[in-house]
Structure formats: structure tokens, C-alpha cells
């Protein structure tokens, strides 16, 4: 049996004929040894056909189709044109070796060409891949490498499909930088306070805010030059005239030492750097808020932008956070305490990063753990909605936040909260109201998807509506009385019983056996009957009387 090999290269499809299989005996080791030597391998495998791709886009489409196990029209026509035709009712005298079993099964279903994929075929294809540029005359090795590189980049780029606006790496970097800036601004502010306190120590007690302190240091510079003319400027910075006057009076009676102009200039420049860092920190926080509203809007509306960003950065990505169960999310950030408790057999921690949420601070001491478990459950739901939903909405996060508020009231006041099913229904209805166009489209899509059974039911209902008029006339005339469905069922059951009794009576009458009704034995009178083949049959008139009697019993 001949063996053909299908090789999908970056430049096109190639078909090879392995004609020396009988000599090798399908020995994988023999093929593996002969692969490196082109003279030996060229005697076994020869090129049968080759078709190049028309463009780079065509190569990418063919590569995607092969990886997904889809047989394209180009590949099918290439195989049918270059392989021997398979006659109906006869076994083919060849087989096709492929690297991907999925594409092999697809080829077998559509073209009836037998395919195989095993170690022997893979070794042959490995040799083909190694010496592919030698089999095709006009193809250079450099051109093949360029084609492979370009196709590899485009294929990987197509596989990694993501939304640029929903990249969670930016959030991770932003929250790391924000935490670092908080530490740096605090340490630098303390350095400014300590440095300038040698000159004006009373200012520390008057101004508590670090940013305002640095701004005032830059404005005052030398306390001896602080006059009443600068009080309006101080009032604009502080927003309070009383504090400005207090600073001016404290400067007059200050116990600090005098500094040289060079020292004051250095203090002023350092205060300017602290101000710049504080302003950049505010801008970075605004950037983090906007990115969190794009990436995880429900998580941000539930637990806050900063805590949500810390959870994402600690998990590694939003997808990893969505994969975490709520029990793991509850103690994210408290791994050291958890392992220490497991080692010492102590109490495990109840919360990690979610402790910074306002809900945990509002709960009482004995309910903090319970609320942390509940909040972690809602955070896991919100993160999964944000990760896997296509629509960008905050409705689910707001509803989940309402549930946490209700749970707080339940712990404090005993007010019963709503069920999760009802809350989610309200959230879905709210999202449908927001996306009005999508809601209308979904309604339009529901009607065409009606099954043929429903259509037939509708047609039947139209047909039955024709018979309603005579029934209504009978009701108006008093000839017909409408009965409930239960009475109809009872009547039908009675009629069935009567028919069964009639059949049993016929059989008993034929055999000459007396029948029993209502638990009492009654001998029935025999009437004249005709004998047909030695068997007694009841007359037609007697059967009609029995039917009328059964109907009267049903009416009663």
C-alpha cells in the first residue's frame, strides 16, 4: 500500500510519496537514522506535488484552519487533484499520512481518503521538514525562514486576541507605583518637616497636611521676611485667614535658628519636589480609577478601586483572580499568617487585603469574620463577571454592594436581606434597560427561533377557533353546558370503563359465563340469537340498548 505524506509549510501545501516503505518495513528507528542523511532519505521520500499560498493572509487562514481541524476548499481540491481517485465499493490502495489527527479525520469524512497519524509518519514528516528546501528547486532556505517567521508572528498575534483598553497589566503597575509613591511622599514630607523645623519649628504644629506644609515652605522661604503683605497669599494656600494670621504671629516670635540663603534654596527646591510627587500621585490615582472602571467596573464599584487593584495585582491578573474561589480570595495577602497558623496549629486569618474595605471597618468585632467571608464571595462573583462578560457595566457591582449593605443591617438590626436570585434578576433587567438596542435585538431573535411545534400549535389554535361559534350558540340556547376539565376527565374514564365492560360481556356471553356488576352476581337472560359456527352472538338491537344504558349512567 502506497503512503502519501501531507506537509503544511509556511509557503504552501506539499504532497510527498514514501515509496520505499516495504524495504524499511515501517521501522521507526530505521527512519530516524536515515533522516539526517539526505541521500538515504531522498530514496525513501519524493515530492509528488506542491501548491504555494497566494498571499500571507491566505497562509494565515490556511494555518488557522489546519490548527482547528477544518478542511479548506483549497486543501481539498489539492488532495483530490493529486491523489489517486477512490472508487466506490473498493478499498483504496493508498493512505495519507498527516501530522494532525483532527485534520485527518476531517479529510476521511469529506473525501473518503484513509489517513493515518503515528510515530512512523511523524518521523517521515520530520525528515521532510528538515530537507524541505532541497526538495523544491526554486525555494531558498532564507526565503523559507522569512516566511516561517512572518507566519509565526501573524499566527501568534491572531491567537492572542485581547482588548487594548482591558489590559490588566497597567493596573498592576499603577497600584505598585502608587504604593511606592505613598511611602516616598511620606518619607520626603517628614524630611522637609525635619529640615525646615530648624528654621521655623512652630509651623509643624499649625499645619498638619504634608502637601500644604511643603507649599507653605516654598511660599515663606525665610520667616524673617514674612510680613502682613504675604498674609493674603497664605490665606489662599490654606483656605483659612485665621491660620494665616497665626503663622505670621508665630514667625515673629519663632525660636528657630537662621539659615543661610543656600540652605533655604535647597529646602525650597526639595519642597518643590515633594509637591510635584504629591501632584503626580493624584494624577496616578485618577488614572487608576479610570483603568479600573474599564477593566473591572463591578469589582471597583463593590470594594473600591484601590482594594480591587491590589487584589488583581496580588493574584497576578484579573483572570487568575476570577479563577480563585472565594475562600482563597478572602485571605489573599495574608499568606504568611496562614502558614504560620497552620504550622503552629493556631487560628487561621479571617481576612487579607479585603480588610482595607470600608465594610470590614463598619462591622462589629464578632461579625468581622462573617462579613469578610460574605464579601469575598461577592468579590469573586464580581471578578468573574468582569473577566468573562463582554458588556462593560457597573450594575452587578452596585447590586452586590447593596447585598453587602443588607447583610450588615442583618448582623446589626436583624433585617432579613433579599435573596441572591432576586437581586441578580433585577441586575439583568437593569442591564437590559441600559442596553435598549440589544434588548430589542434579543426580542427580535426570539421570534424567528420558534420551533415548528409551536408554529403547528398556533395553526391548530387558529383552526379550532372556527368551531367556537356553534359551541357559543349552543351555550346561549341552553343546549350545551360547559363543564370543568376534571368532570370531562371523569366522564372519559367512565366511558372507557363502560366499553371495557361491554367487551367483557361479549366474551362472557359467547362462552356462556355469567358476568358480575357492582359486586353482586346477576344472571342475564338469554335471548334468541343466531348460531354462527357453533357460537352464540348477541343481536345488534341488544348492543344498542347497552350503549344507551351506559350513556344514561354517565349522565347520572
Amino acid at each position: 500500500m502506497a503512503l502519501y505524506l501531507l506537509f503544511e509549510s509556511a509557503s504552501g501545501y506539499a504532497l510527498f510519496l514514501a515509496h520505499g516503505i516495504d524495504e524499511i518495513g515501517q521501522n521507526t528507528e530505521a527512519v530516524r537514522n536515515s533522516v539526517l542523511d539526505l541521500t538515504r532519505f531522498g530514496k525513501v521520500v519524493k515530492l509528488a506535488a506542491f501548491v504555494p499560498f497566494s498571499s500571507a493572509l491566505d497562509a494565515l487562514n490556511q494555518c488557522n484552519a489546519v490548527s482547528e481541524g477544518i478542511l479548506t476548499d483549497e486543501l481539498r481540491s489539492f488532495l483530490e487533484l493529486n491523489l489517486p481517485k477512490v472508487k466506490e465499493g473498493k478499498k483504496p490502495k493508498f493512505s495519507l499520512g498527516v501530522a494532525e489527527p483532527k485534520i485527518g479525520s476531517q479529510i476521511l469524512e469529506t473525501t473518503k481518503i484513509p489517513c493515518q497519524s503515528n510515530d512512523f509518519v511523524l518521523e517521515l514528516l520530520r525528515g521532510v521538514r528538515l530537507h524541505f528546501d532541497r526538495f523544491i528547486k526554486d525555494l531558498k532556505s532564507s526565503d523559507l525562514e522569512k516566511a516561517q517567521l512572518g507566519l509565526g508572528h501573524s499566527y501568534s498575534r491572531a491567537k492572542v486576541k485581547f482588548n487594548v483598553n482591558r489590559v490588566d497589566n497597567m493596573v498592576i503597575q499603577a497600584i505598585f507605583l502608587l504604593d511606592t509613591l505613598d511611602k516616598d511622599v511620606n518619607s520626603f514630607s517628614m524630611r522637609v518637616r525635619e529640615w525646615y523645623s530648624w528654621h521655623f519649628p512652630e509651623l509643624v504644629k499649625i499645619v498638619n497636611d504634608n502637601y500644604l506644609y511643603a507649599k507653605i515652605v516654598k511660599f515663606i522661604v525665610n520667616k524673617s521676611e514674612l510680613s502682613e503683605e504675604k498674609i493674603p497669599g497664605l490665606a489662599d494656600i490654606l483656605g483659612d485667614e485665621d491660620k494665616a494670621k497665626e503663622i505670621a504671629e508665630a514667625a515673629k516670635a519663632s525660636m528657630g535658628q537662621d539659615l543661610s540663603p543656600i540652605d533655604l534654596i535647597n529646602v525650597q527646591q526639595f519642597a518643590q519636589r515633594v509637591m510635584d510627587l504629591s501632584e503626580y500621585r493624584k494624577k496616578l490615582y485618577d488614572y487608576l480609577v479610570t483603568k479600573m472602571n474599564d477593566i473591572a467596573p463591578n469589582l471597583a464599584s463593590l470594594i473600591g478601586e484601590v482594594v480591587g487593584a491590589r487584589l488583581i495585582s496580588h493574584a497576578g491578573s484579573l483572570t487568575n483572580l476570577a479563577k480563585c474561589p472565594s475562600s482563597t480570595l478572602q485571605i489573599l495577602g495574608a499568606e504568611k499568617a496562614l502558614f504560620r497558623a497552620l504550622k503552629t496549629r493556631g487560628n487561621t486569618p479571617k481576612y487579607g487585603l479585603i480588610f482595607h474595605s470600608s465594610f470590614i471597618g463598619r462591622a462589629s468585632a464578632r461579625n468581622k469574620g462573617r462579613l469578610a467571608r460574605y464579601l469575598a464571595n461577592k468579590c469573586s462573583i464580581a471578578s468573574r463577571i468582569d473577566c468573562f462578560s463582554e458588556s462593560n457595566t457597573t450594575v452587578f457591582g452596585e447590586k452586590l454592594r447593596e447585598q453587602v449593605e443588607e447583610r450588615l443591617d442583618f448582623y446589626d438590626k436583624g433585617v432579613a436581606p433579599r435573596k441572591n436570585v432576586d437581586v441578580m434578576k433585577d441586575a439583568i433587567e437593569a442591564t437590559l434597560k441600559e442596553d435598549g438596542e440589544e434588548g430589542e435585538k434579543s426580542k427580535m431573535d426570539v421570534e424567528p427561533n420558534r420551533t415548528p411545534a409551536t408554529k403547528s400549535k398556533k395553526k391548530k389554535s387558529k383552526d379550532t377557533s372556527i368551531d367556537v361559534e356553534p359551541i357559543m350558540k349552543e351555550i346561549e340556547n341552553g343546549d350545551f353546558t360547559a363543564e370543568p376539565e376534571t368532570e370531562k376527565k371523569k366522564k372519559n374514564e367512565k366511558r372507557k370503563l363502560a366499553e371495557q365492560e361491554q367487551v367483557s360481556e361479549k366474551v362472557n356471553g359467547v362462552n356462556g359465563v355469567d358476568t358480575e356488576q357492582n359486586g353482586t352476581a346477576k344472571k342475564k337472560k338469554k335471548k334468541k340469537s343466531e348460531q354462527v359456527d357453533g357460537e352464540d352472538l348477541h343481536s345488534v338491537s341488544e348492543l344498542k340498548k347497552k350503549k344507551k344504558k351506559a350513556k344514561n349512567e354517565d349522565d347520572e
Side-chain angles (χ1 to χ4, degrees):
M1 181 181 285
L3 176 64
Y4 288 88
L5 300 172
L6 176 64
F7 180 68
E8 308 92 355
S9 68
S11 55
Y13 289 119
L15 196 66
F16 291 88
L17 174 62
H19 57 84
I21 295 175
D22 295 334
E23 297 176 2
I24 297 173
Q26 294 191 0
N27 189 354
T28 307
E29 289 294 331
V31 176
R32 192 173 295 154
N33 295 328
S34 64
V35 160
L36 298 176
D37 190 3
L38 181 61
T39 56
R40 293 178 62 189
F41 188 74
K43 295 177 181 179
V44 178
V45 177
K46 288 187 178 180
L47 180 66
F50 176 74
V51 56
F53 295 132
S54 58
S55 63
L57 182 61
D58 184 25
L60 178 61
N61 294 332
Q62 297 295 329
C63 184
N64 286 325
V66 169
S67 65
E68 293 173 4
I70 299 171
L71 180 64
T72 58
D73 296 334
E74 291 84 357
L75 180 57
R76 182 177 179 178
S77 60
F78 172 69
L79 293 175
E80 290 178 349
L81 185 64
N82 295 292
L83 286 174
K85 294 183 179 179
V86 181
K87 295 181 180 180
E88 295 182 359
K90 291 186 178 181
K91 291 183 178 180
K93 296 180 180 180
F94 68 95
S95 63
L96 181 65
V98 294
E100 292 289 336
K102 291 181 181 179
I103 193 71
S105 61
Q106 192 71 19
I107 291 169
L108 180 62
E109 288 179 4
T110 53
T111 61
K112 306 299 180 183
I113 297 171
C115 299
Q116 59 176 334
S117 178
N118 49 31
D119 294 338
F120 178 71
V121 172
L122 292 177
E123 287 296 329
L124 288 174
L125 288 173
R126 187 170 70 88
V128 169
R129 189 181 299 108
L130 183 63
H131 305 292
F132 183 67
D133 56 339
R134 304 285 184 86
F135 286 106
I136 298 171
K137 295 178 181 179
D138 298 332
L139 187 64
K140 297 178 182 179
S141 59
S142 59
D143 296 338
L144 184 62
E145 288 177 1
K146 290 178 182 178
Q148 288 174 351
L149 185 64
L151 181 61
H153 280 301
S154 57
Y155 178 74
S156 59
R157 199 179 297 115
K159 282 293 180 184
V160 184
K161 296 175 182 176
F162 57 85
N163 188 358
V164 179
N165 296 322
R166 298 189 67 180
V167 180
D168 50 5
N169 291 329
M170 300 300 108
V171 170
I172 295 170
Q173 299 299 326
I175 192 63
F176 273 130
L177 185 56
L178 196 67
D179 292 338
T180 308
L181 277 177
D182 286 336
K183 294 178 183 177
D184 293 342
V185 168
N186 286 331
S187 61
F188 293 160
S189 300
M190 294 303 294
R191 184 61 57 192
V192 170
R193 284 173 178 269
E194 188 176 350
W195 200 350
Y196 195 69
S197 294
W198 289 98
H199 180 64
F200 192 2
E202 292 80 10
L203 186 62
V204 176
K205 296 180 181 179
I206 300 171
V207 181
N208 295 321
D209 188 70
N210 293 330
Y211 180 72
L212 289 177
Y213 187 89
K215 212 168 184 180
I216 289 168
V217 167
K218 188 189 175 187
F219 181 77
I220 295 173
V221 185
N222 194 350
K223 64 178 180 180
S224 60
E225 297 176 359
L226 185 61
S227 59
E228 294 182 357
E229 296 176 356
K230 291 187 177 182
I231 291 176
L234 280 174
D236 292 337
I237 294 170
L238 294 169
D240 190 0
E241 289 185 2
D242 296 334
K243 275 192 175 183
K245 290 178 182 179
E246 187 179 353
I247 290 170
E249 291 175 359
K252 292 177 183 178
S254 177
M255 298 295 292
Q257 66 180 15
D258 294 333
L259 296 178
S260 63
I262 297 173
D263 296 336
L264 290 173
I265 289 170
N266 284 318
V267 174
Q268 186 182 4
Q269 288 178 351
F270 189 61
Q272 181 62 43
R273 294 295 176 90
V274 173
M275 289 168 57
D276 295 338
L277 280 176
S278 299
E279 290 172 0
Y280 176 66
R281 196 258 178 209
K282 291 178 183 178
K283 291 179 183 178
L284 187 65
Y285 177 76
D286 295 336
Y287 167 75
L288 180 65
V289 169
T290 54
K291 289 300 291 183
M292 280 297 294
N293 288 329
D294 291 336
I295 294 166
N298 294 300
L299 186 64
S301 60
L302 170 62
I303 203 170
E305 290 83 4
V306 177
V307 181
R310 285 202 178 102
L311 287 172
I312 292 172
S313 65
H314 196 82
S317 66
L318 181 61
T319 308
N320 291 342
L321 184 65
K323 291 177 183 177
C324 289
S326 58
S327 58
T328 305
L329 192 145
Q330 182 181 351
I331 57 170
L332 273 180
E335 287 82 4
K336 288 184 179 179
L338 174 66
F339 292 122
R340 185 171 61 249
L342 292 173
K343 188 176 181 180
T344 59
R345 296 183 181 179
N347 294 329
T348 55
K350 297 178 181 177
Y351 25 67
L353 291 170
I354 60 172
F355 179 77
H356 299 287
S357 174
S358 60
F359 295 113
I360 307 296
R362 288 163 54 191
S364 59
R366 66 171 189 171
N367 293 327
K368 283 184 186 293
R370 300 167 67 187
L371 191 68
R373 185 170 63 250
Y374 188 80
L375 183 60
N377 183 13
K378 298 305 172 187
C379 286
S380 66
I381 293 171
S383 62
R384 288 164 189 173
I385 292 171
D386 290 330
C387 183
F388 301 110
S389 67
E390 296 179 358
S391 60
N392 193 359
T393 178
T394 59
V395 174
F396 290 97
E398 292 169 358
K399 294 292 182 181
L400 292 172
R401 189 179 182 87
E402 290 176 5
Q403 279 189 288
V404 180
E405 295 280 357
E406 290 174 2
R407 186 54 63 115
L408 266 175
D409 294 338
F410 172 69
Y411 289 150
D412 296 338
K413 303 173 186 176
V415 181
R418 291 176 294 172
K419 290 185 178 180
N420 192 34
V421 178
D422 300 333
V423 176
M424 289 296 109
K425 283 181 181 178
D426 296 340
I428 292 168
E429 290 175 1
T431 50
L432 289 176
K433 285 180 182 178
E434 284 185 357
D435 304 333
E437 295 179 357
E438 293 181 3
E440 289 176 3
K441 285 181 182 178
S442 62
K443 287 179 183 177
M444 293 295 289
D445 293 338
V446 170
E447 293 181 0
N449 292 332
R450 191 187 301 128
T451 56
T454 53
K455 289 183 180 178
S456 62
K457 284 181 182 178
K458 288 202 170 186
K459 287 182 181 178
K460 284 181 182 178
S461 63
K462 288 180 181 177
D463 297 337
T464 52
S465 63
I466 299 169
D467 300 328
V468 172
E469 293 180 359
I471 294 170
M472 294 299 293
K473 287 181 181 178
E474 289 181 358
I475 291 170
E476 290 175 359
N477 297 329
D479 299 332
F480 181 82
T481 55
E483 296 178 353
E485 291 181 359
T486 53
E487 292 181 3
K488 287 183 180 179
K489 286 181 181 178
K490 287 180 181 179
K491 274 198 168 187
N492 291 330
E493 290 176 358
K494 285 182 180 179
R495 283 177 184 173
K496 286 180 182 179
L497 289 171
E499 288 175 1
Q500 289 176 1
E501 287 175 0
Q502 287 177 8
V503 172
S504 63
E505 285 173 4
K506 284 181 184 179
V507 174
N508 291 333
V510 171
N511 296 328
V513 181
D514 297 335
T515 59
E516 293 181 1
Q517 293 180 352
N518 297 329
T520 58
K522 293 182 180 179
K523 293 182 179 180
K524 292 191 174 182
K525 296 178 181 179
K526 291 185 179 180
K527 291 187 177 182
K528 294 179 181 180
S529 60
E530 296 178 359
Q531 289 183 353
V532 179
D533 297 333
E535 292 181 358
D536 296 331
L537 297 174
H538 291 287
S539 63
V540 177
S541 61
E542 191 174 359
L543 289 172
K544 287 182 178 180
K545 287 180 181 179
K546 286 182 179 180
K547 285 182 180 180
K548 287 181 180 179
K549 190 176 181 181
K551 285 183 180 180
N552 292 331
E553 287 177 0
D554 292 338
D555 293 334
E556 289 175 0

